[in-house]
Amino acid sequence: MTDPFLTAAPVLKQLEDAGYEAYFVGGSVRDFLLKREINDVDIATSATPAEVKKIFPKTIDIGIEHGTVLVLVKHGAYEITTFRTESEYQDYRRPKEVTFIRNLKDDLKRRDFTMNAIAMDRNRKLIDPFNGLLSIQKKVIQTVGNPSDRFQEDALRIMRAVRFVSQLSFQIEKGTVQALATLVHLLENIAVERKRVEFEKLLIGKNKRTALTILLETNIYLYLPGLKDNRQFLEKMLGFESPDLKMNEIWSLLIFCLNLKEKEIEVFLKEWRLSLKEIREIQRIVHFLYIRLDQEWSIYDLFSAGRNTILSTERVYLVINNIKETESLQRWIDLYDSLPIKDRAEINVSGNDLMALFNKRGGPWLKETLLTIEKKILAGQIENNIEKIKEWLIKCNLK
């Protein structure tokens, strides 16, 4: 496995050689200390954005007003952010003003939780002025400084704290959770899109059950789309272990728990700002899930659902019924793979063929006849051959 810190170390060295401080910061350092997989690293430096751009020939201004420049080097692309302090926050989310500074400790001081306020130099030496390593060792989520101040600066931190409970299986420190519960109403000021990101990460975490319990006990759920009046239904999620479900499958499980009718699903998911494509995929899973909960898959339902929807539906079905074995997944896929056709377009007769055969114009009869042919082919009662189909139609006098 590639070591992202080793790969990025030359970037830090280049900043240091130019006379500036540079460190790895944030979640990548935390995850390194937890021995978790690290996808990318963030770099903080005493160099201003203008100074960073002088050092590296290829850069992109992705958030330069907040001190962030994307640096493109031979071995990758890295976000480099200048040490900064932040003035009074507005809308409980964004600072009114950012001031670039040269002091690392003051930069770390503005961060949310102590476990995220650790810096590491290119030689793996830690700079930890707020005892973040101790928090990690104790598996505690604690704000940097006064928790009320941190949550009033950025109310999304309320959800981030609970999300970390799910992801890391940490506990929230007593004073932090008390402030969180007191200030939960500030979530009204946070955009749904940002809440969704945290909520989805929470739902796929290994310690989801504890995190959901906190959502209920602290009333966070009251400020999440479509959940305000559904506490008793949301509690059903606590009864399901779903470590291997994909995101759309988890949304489908949540919809099942909320007991939403099919016509209510789109409204609920639109409130969460899901894309139309995601909504349609989830609607398909839920549609076939409700059928699957009543009966086993029919040949026609397998055909109508398609491979991906079959797999997703069956995975959610197994979770709901607390079935650990997954042999049924392969059984239904094998049956699907054996179908003579997988799509209506594969039928070797068209509407024009039928109109010509019976010398009739189109109408409801045409759709009904094509549907009958489709079902007969799937049942193995007709061969998918235009002459065989015509022969069967004439024999059955389907005009």
Side-chain angles (χ1 to χ4, degrees), residues 128-144:
D128 183 19
F130 304 105
N131 296 315
L133 178 59
L134 183 62
S135 293
I136 290 172
Q137 291 169 340
K138 290 185 174 182
K139 297 187 175 183
V140 169
I141 299 164
Q142 182 172 3
T143 58
V144 177

Side-chain angles (χ1 to χ4, degrees), residues 348-349 354 357 373 376-377 381-396:
N348 287 324
V349 68
L354 297 183
L357 177 63
I373 294 168
K376 291 292 182 181
I377 292 172
Q381 297 172 354
I382 311 176
E383 187 179 334
N384 188 23
N385 174 285
I386 188 167
E387 296 305 325
K388 296 288 186 182
I389 294 170
K390 286 181 178 179
E391 182 182 318
W392 178 80
L393 288 169
I394 294 169
K395 180 180 178 181
C396 294

Side-chain angles (χ1 to χ4, degrees), residues 119-136:
M120 185 172 75
D121 69 16
R122 60 188 174 88
N123 297 312
R124 311 294 170 99
K125 178 184 176 182
L126 298 181
I127 297 86
D128 183 19
F130 304 105
N131 296 315
L133 178 59
L134 183 62
S135 293
I136 290 172

Side-chain angles (χ1 to χ4, degrees), residues 5 8 12 23-29 38 40-44 68 78-81 111 120:
F5 295 112
L12 270 65
Y23 303 92
F24 299 114
V25 293
S28 60
V29 177
I38 300 165
D40 52 32
V41 299
D42 289 323
I43 297 170
T68 303
Y78 298 95
E79 289 188 13
I80 299 179
T81 302
R111 295 175 184 268
M120 185 172 75

Side-chain angles (χ1 to χ4, degrees), residues 157-363:
R157 289 169 175 167
I158 291 171
M159 289 198 67
R160 280 172 58 81
V162 186
R163 183 253 287 187
F164 284 128
V165 170
S166 181
Q167 283 186 322
L168 305 178
S169 296
F170 281 20
Q171 292 183 327
I172 305 177
E173 180 266 335
K174 185 178 178 181
T176 301
V177 78
Q178 287 174 344
L180 181 156
T182 300
L183 298 171
V184 66
H185 62 279
L186 297 180
L187 285 172
E188 288 180 338
N189 301 282
I190 302 301
V192 170
E193 290 83 356
R194 293 189 175 276
K195 293 179 186 177
R196 176 192 165 188
V197 170
E198 300 301 326
F199 189 56
E200 288 187 333
K201 289 178 179 178
L202 182 157
L203 290 176
I204 61 175
K206 291 183 178 180
N207 199 25
K208 174 193 70 177
R209 184 177 293 174
T210 302
L212 282 172
T213 300
I214 296 171
L215 280 190
L216 293 166
E217 291 178 346
T218 60
N219 289 327
I220 289 175
Y221 78 99
L222 296 175
Y223 302 92
L224 302 180
L227 300 183
K228 183 176 181 180
D229 300 317
N230 287 307
R231 179 184 180 120
Q232 68 185 70
F233 297 110
L234 184 60
E235 286 174 344
K236 288 178 66 176
M237 283 288 284
L238 299 175
F240 297 123
E241 292 292 342
S242 52
D244 300 321
L245 292 188
K246 299 177 182 177
M247 200 61 245
N248 281 352
E249 295 163 2
I250 291 176
W251 278 111
S252 301
L253 178 62
L254 177 60
I255 287 166
F256 166 78
C257 291
L258 295 176
N259 198 32
L260 297 182
K261 303 296 182 287
E262 292 204 30
K263 63 182 179 181
E264 300 171 323
I265 295 171
E266 183 168 352
V267 174
F268 174 73
L269 295 176
K270 279 185 174 178
E271 283 189 82
W272 276 101
R273 306 292 193 268
L274 270 72
S275 70
L276 190 58
K277 181 184 177 185
E278 290 169 318
I279 290 172
R280 294 292 178 256
E281 288 177 0
I282 294 166
Q283 283 178 312
R284 280 179 62 79
I285 295 169
V286 176
H287 170 76
F288 286 102
L289 175 64
Y290 288 160
I291 295 173
R292 179 69 178 98
L293 290 166
D294 282 338
Q295 63 187 42
E296 292 208 329
W297 288 95
S298 68
I299 293 295
Y300 193 73
D301 283 338
L302 290 171
F303 167 77
S304 301
R307 174 184 285 269
N308 291 338
T309 302
I310 294 167
L311 287 170
S312 290
T313 301
E314 196 64 19
R315 279 194 285 260
V316 179
Y317 172 84
L318 294 175
V319 167
I320 289 171
N321 288 281
N322 195 29
I323 299 172
K324 303 300 182 184
E325 61 83 20
T326 57
E327 291 178 6
S328 63
L329 278 171
Q330 193 57 49
R331 177 162 60 94
W332 294 121
I333 288 301
D334 288 345
L335 186 53
Y336 171 78
D337 288 341
S338 71
L339 298 180
I341 55 173
K342 306 294 191 302
D343 191 276
R344 300 211 143 155
E346 296 176 16
I347 298 175
N348 287 324
V349 68
S350 67
N352 288 333
D353 292 331
L354 297 183
M355 288 188 286
L357 177 63
F358 296 116
N359 194 26
K360 290 175 65 175
R361 292 184 177 182

Side-chain angles (χ1 to χ4, degrees), residues 1 37 45 62 67 82 117-118 175 179 182 220 244 279 308 369 381:
M1 184 183 295
E37 183 179 352
T45 180
I62 59 170
T82 304
I118 307 171
T182 300
I220 289 175
D244 300 321
I279 290 172
N308 291 338
T369 303
Q381 297 172 354

